[in-house]
C-alpha cells in the first residue's frame, strides 16, 4: 500500500505543486506536458460524469482505478484540485485530500501569501516549508510504505 | 440497487450498443407567475436554467414541459419559441416542469467515444508499469465499470455505487455478445448491433423441428435431415443468394452450395483459435483455400455427408 505521486492544480490548470514518492514508470513526455495532459484528462472526466450521471450529482467525480493504480481526486470550491495516485489497496482518500488542502495547503497557503508579499497566486508554490510539511504528512499516512524502487 | 445502462464500444471508439434503464430522473414541477424568476438560456438546442436554483430546480436542468405538454427543443408543442412565450405576461400563470435532460443517442455517442480516449490516457499516465486503461470510475451517484476484451471491444456498465458482482456481469455480457453478435453471419464486425438483429438462424429438419445454430452443431448428424437456413423474410427451401462469410476470432462458418438447383446453405461451426478475421466461400466443385488441416478434415466430412444426402 503506497502513494505514488501527488499533483495540485489551480483553477486555470497550472500545476502548483507536484510530489513523487514511489513512481515506477515515467510517462515518456516532459513534466509540463504531463501536467497539461493530467489536467485535461480530469477536466474531460468531470464533464463526462456530469453528462452521464443518471441523477444530479452532489460531489461529482471521486476516483478511478485501473488494474495497477487508483487515482483520487478532490476539488475545492475555488477550483484548487488535488490529485493523488495510490495503489489499489487504498479505500477512499477523500478526507485525506481534504486534510491536505485545509491543514497543509490552506494553512501554509495563507502563511505563504501573508508573509511573502512577492509571491503571486497561480504560480508554482516554491515554498520549501510547504514541500517538507506535505512530504512528512504523506509519509505519516497509515497506508504509506516506502518500497524498494 | 440498479444497473443504469450498458454500452459497448468497438476498438476504434465507435458506439456499438446501448441499453438504458434509468429508474428515476429528478424532475420538479412548479407553477410560475409573471415574471419568471429563473434565468433561462438556450444550450445545445434545449432551454436550460442558468441561474435561479431553488426548490428542486437546479442549474443545468432543462425545461421539459409547459402546462403538461412536452416541449420540442426550444419550441413548445404548438411550435412557438419558448423564450418569447415566457416573456409574454398574458400566458401566465403556467406550470413548468424542469428536470435532467434526457440524452439523445447522439449525445450519448460523444461521451462514450470520449471515454475510449480517456481510457488510453489513463494507461499512459500511469505511475506503475503495465497498467491497463480505466477499469472503474466512481462518483457519488454512480460507478462505471469497463471491461476491455482481448479484441479491443469495451463493455461499459453504469451502476449504483453499492452494486457488487459487476465483474461477473461483464463477463456474462461478453459471453452473450460473442454468442449472439459474433456468431451471426449477417453481423458486420465493429458495426452497431441492431436490437432486432439478434435474429438467430433456425434450421428446419424434415420433421419440422427447429433447432438453433448451436444446437445443430452439438447434435448428431442425421443423414436424412436436410438443413435449410431461414432468415426473416425468406421461405424455407427458397433460393438464397450466397453471402459473404465472416469469421470471428472464435468461430468459423463454412457454407456449402449444392448442385441441385435449390441452394441449400449449411452452417458448420468449428472452434478455431487463430483469432484472425477471414472470409470463406466454398464451392462443391472448386475446393478453395483452407486455413489449416483442421478445416480440411471438416470439409471433407461435409462433402461425403452431402453426397449421401443428395
Amino acid at each position: 500500500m503506497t502513494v505514488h505521486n501527488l499533483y495540485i492544480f489551480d483553477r486555470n490548470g497550472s500545476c502548483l505543486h507536484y510530489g513523487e514518492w514511489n513512481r515506477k514508470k515515467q510517462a515518456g513526455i516532459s513534466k509540463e506536458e504531463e501536467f497539461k495532459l493530467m489536467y485535461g484528462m480530469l477536466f474531460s472526466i468531470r464533464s463526462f460524469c456530469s453528462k452521464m450521471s443518471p441523477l444530479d450529482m452532489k460531489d461529482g467525480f471521486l476516483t478511478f482505478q485501473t488494474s495497477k493504480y487508483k487515482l483520487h481526486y478532490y476539488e475545492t470550491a475555488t477550483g484548487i484540485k488535488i490529485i493523488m495516485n495510490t495503489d489499489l489497496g487504498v479505500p477512499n482518500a477523500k478526507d485525506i485530500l481534504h486534510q491536505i488542502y485545509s491543514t497543509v495547503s490552506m494553512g501554509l497557503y495563507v502563511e505563504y501569501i501573508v508573509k511573502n508579499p512577492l509571491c503571486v497566486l497561480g504560480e508554482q508554490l516554491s515554498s520549501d516549508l510547504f514541500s517538507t510539511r506535505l512530504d512528512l504528512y504523506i509519509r505519516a499516512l497509515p497506508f504509506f510504505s516506502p518500497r524498494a524502487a | 440497487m440498479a444497473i443504469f445502462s450498458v454500452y459497448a464500444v468497438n476498438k476504434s471508439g465507435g458506439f456499438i450498443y446501448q441499453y438504458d434503464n434509468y429508474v428515476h430522473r429528478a424532475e420538479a414541477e412548479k407553477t410560475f407567475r409573471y415574471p419568471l424568476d429563473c434565468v433561462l438560456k438556450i444550450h445545445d438546442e434545449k432551454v436550460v436554467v442558468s441561474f435561479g436554483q431553488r426548490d428542486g430546480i437546479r442549474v443545468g436542468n432543462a425545461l421539459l414541459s409547459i402546462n403538461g405538454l412536452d416541449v420540442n427543443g426550444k419550441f413548445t408543442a404548438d411550435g412557438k419559441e419558448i423564450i418569447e412565450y415566457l416573456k409574454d405576461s398574458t400566458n401566465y400563470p403556467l406550470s413548468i416542469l424542469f428536470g435532467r435532460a434526457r440524452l439523445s443517442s447522439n449525445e450519448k455517442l460523444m461521451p462514450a467515444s470520449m471515454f475510449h480516449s480517456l481510457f488510453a490516457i489513463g494507461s499512459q499516465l500511469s505511475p506503475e508499469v503495465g497498467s491497463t486503461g480505466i477499469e472503474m470510475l466512481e462518483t457519488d451517484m454512480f460507478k462505471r465499470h469497463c471491461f476491455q476484451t482481448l479484441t479491443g471491444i469495451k463493455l461499459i456498465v453504469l451502476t449504483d455505487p453499492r452494486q457488487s458482482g459487476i465483474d461477473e456481469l461483464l463477463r456474462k455480457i461478453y459471453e452473450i455478445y460473442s454468442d449472439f453478435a459474433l456468431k451471426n453471419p449477417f453481423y458486420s464486425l465493429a458495426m452497431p448491433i441492431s436490437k432486432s438483429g439478434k435474429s438467430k438462424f433456425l434450421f428446419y429438419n424434415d420433421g419440422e423441428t427447429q433447432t438453433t445454430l448451436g444446437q445443430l452443431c452439438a447434435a448428431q448428424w442425421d443423414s436424412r435431415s436436410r438443413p435449410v437456413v431461414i432468415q426473416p423474410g425468406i421461405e424455407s427451401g427458397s433460393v438464397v443468394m450466397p453471402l459473404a462469410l465472416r469469421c470471428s476470432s472464435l468461430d468459423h462458418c463454412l457454407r456449402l452450395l449444392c448442385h441441385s438447383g435449390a441452394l441449400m446453405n449449411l452452417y458448420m461451426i468449428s472452434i478455431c483459435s487463430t483469432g484472425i478475421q477471414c472470409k470463406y466461400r466454398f464451392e462443391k466443385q472448386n475446393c478453395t483455400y483452407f486455413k489449416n488441416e483442421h478445416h480440411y478434415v471438416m470439409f471433407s466430412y461435409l462433402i461425403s455427408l452431402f453426397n449421401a444426402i443428395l
Side-chain angles (χ1 to χ4, degrees):
Chain A
M1 298 249 276
T2 179
V3 177
H4 295 303
N5 51 10
L6 180 104
Y7 304 78
I8 301 183
F9 290 101
D10 74 348
R11 66 189 307 164
N12 299 322
S14 41
C15 182
L16 300 177
H17 182 77
Y18 170 69
E20 190 173 287
W21 287 271
N22 241 327
R23 184 172 189 167
K24 303 257 174 47
K25 166 185 162 297
Q26 297 300 323
I29 46 182
S30 77
K31 272 284 175 272
E32 275 184 22
E33 284 184 21
E34 187 188 324
F35 295 152
K36 284 192 223 163
L37 190 61
M38 174 66 84
Y39 184 80
M41 176 176 84
L42 286 161
F43 187 83
S44 311
I45 290 183
R46 263 184 48 232
S47 76
F48 165 84
C49 285
S50 69
K51 279 208 193 113
M52 277 268 160
S53 168
L55 306 164
D56 285 324
M57 304 220 295
K58 289 194 223 38
D59 286 326
F61 162 60
L62 296 171
T63 80
F64 77 68
Q65 76 182 45
T66 75
S67 63
K68 291 275 182 246
Y69 76 98
K70 194 165 180 180
L71 181 142
H72 306 263
Y73 174 83
Y74 176 70
E75 183 176 0
T76 71
T78 51
I80 306 284
K81 299 167 183 43
I82 307 185
I83 291 132
M84 185 157 75
N85 288 339
T86 71
D87 75 345
L88 295 175
V90 178
N92 189 3
K94 181 156 180 267
D95 11 324
I96 293 163
L97 294 178
H98 177 68
Q99 280 211 334
I100 291 179
Y101 174 68
S102 61
T103 61
V104 180
S105 160
M106 228 17 215
L108 289 175
Y109 202 57
V110 168
E111 225 178 283
Y112 184 62
I113 294 177
V114 168
K115 296 197 174 174
N116 189 347
L118 296 174
C119 81
V120 177
L121 277 171
E123 271 187 10
Q124 187 120 22
L125 301 171
S126 53
S127 162
D128 283 341
L129 189 59
F130 174 75
S131 316
T132 342
R133 277 278 290 273
L134 183 64
D135 192 51
L136 282 174
Y137 182 80
I138 295 281
R139 286 180 195 277
L141 286 173
F143 49 76
F144 180 82
S145 68
R147 287 189 295 194
Chain B
M1 294 284 184
I3 311 270
F4 294 132
S5 344
V6 180
Y7 302 112
V9 178
N10 68 15
K11 65 178 179 216
S12 26
F15 217 27
I16 305 186
Y17 178 73
Q18 73 178 40
Y19 170 72
D20 287 311
N21 179 29
Y22 288 158
V23 175
H24 165 67
R25 301 203 72 114
E27 286 168 358
E29 179 150 24
K30 252 180 79 62
T31 314
F32 290 94
R33 297 191 171 286
Y34 185 78
L36 202 63
D37 49 2
C38 322
V39 176
L40 300 172
K41 69 171 189 187
I42 300 206
H43 174 69
D44 268 355
E45 294 300 316
K46 284 193 283 272
V47 180
V48 294
V49 175
S50 77
F51 185 78
Q53 178 165 313
R54 53 179 273 219
D55 286 345
I57 301 172
R58 301 180 57 149
V59 172
N61 278 4
L63 200 148
L64 296 176
S65 70
I66 298 183
N67 283 341
L69 300 168
D70 278 341
V71 301
N72 180 11
K74 37 184 194 179
F75 300 100
T76 66
D78 316 331
K80 300 198 252 309
E81 264 217 46
I82 293 180
I83 308 278
E84 297 302 320
Y85 185 77
L86 293 174
K87 283 195 186 134
D88 191 358
S89 63
T90 56
N91 294 323
Y92 288 81
L94 40 73
S95 87
I96 306 182
L97 180 70
F98 288 99
R100 274 189 77 82
R102 285 167 188 82
L103 297 174
S104 71
S105 43
N106 233 7
E107 286 165 351
K108 282 194 197 114
L109 207 144
M110 273 192 337
S113 313
M114 198 158 65
F115 183 72
H116 170 85
S117 331
L118 296 172
F119 185 87
I121 297 179
S123 133
Q124 188 187 8
L125 287 175
S126 156
E128 284 258 21
V129 182
S131 165
T132 64
I134 299 176
E135 282 185 357
M136 197 266 292
L137 193 142
E138 181 172 355
T139 74
D140 52 348
M141 281 293 151
F142 69 92
K143 250 189 188 172
R144 179 191 173 99
H145 297 258
C146 174
F147 173 63
Q148 179 164 31
T149 70
L150 292 166
T151 50
I153 308 283
K154 286 184 206 22
L155 301 166
I156 296 159
V157 171
L158 253 76
T159 73
D160 193 274
R162 294 155 297 182
Q163 185 84 30
S164 59
I166 299 294
D167 288 337
E168 187 60 42
L169 173 71
L170 283 167
R171 275 166 194 36
K172 192 74 195 166
I173 293 177
Y174 184 35
E175 219 179 281
I176 295 175
Y177 167 73
S178 53
D179 274 343
F180 287 102
L182 294 180
K183 291 183 190 176
N184 181 354
F186 290 107
Y187 170 64
S188 323
L189 267 153
M191 286 287 123
I193 301 173
S194 69
K195 298 228 167 58
S196 64
K198 300 238 166 115
S199 50
K200 297 171 227 162
F201 270 73
L202 303 177
F203 288 81
Y204 282 87
N205 291 333
D206 259 350
E208 295 296 311
T209 51
Q210 297 182 16
T211 55
T212 65
L213 202 61
Q215 283 169 332
L216 187 68
C217 304
Q220 297 283 358
W221 277 102
D222 183 355
S223 60
R224 286 187 300 275
S225 67
R226 292 163 52 129
V228 175
V229 73
I230 289 273
Q231 69 162 340
I234 298 184
E235 293 160 12
S236 65
S238 62
V239 175
V240 179
M241 287 304 295
L243 302 160
L245 296 171
R246 285 175 207 276
C247 310
S248 69
S249 57
L250 296 176
D251 295 329
H252 292 277
C253 301
L254 307 180
R255 192 180 61 199
L256 192 69
L257 303 172
C258 84
H259 65 293
S260 68
L263 292 174
M264 295 209 300
N265 297 323
L266 171 72
Y267 287 83
M268 179 94 183
I269 303 293
S270 72
I271 306 295
C272 169
S273 59
T274 55
I276 301 172
Q277 188 180 0
C278 48
K279 283 186 186 181
Y280 286 83
R281 186 162 175 245
F282 291 88
E283 303 271 356
K284 189 155 183 277
Q285 285 81 16
N286 323 318
C287 282
T288 58
Y289 36 92
F290 297 94
K291 199 69 190 161
N292 55 33
E293 273 182 6
H294 178 64
H295 293 156
Y296 182 72
V297 166
M298 297 282 235
F299 186 74
S300 319
Y301 177 74
L302 275 179
I303 299 276
S304 57
L305 194 64
F306 267 76
N307 281 334
I309 294 174
L310 304 162

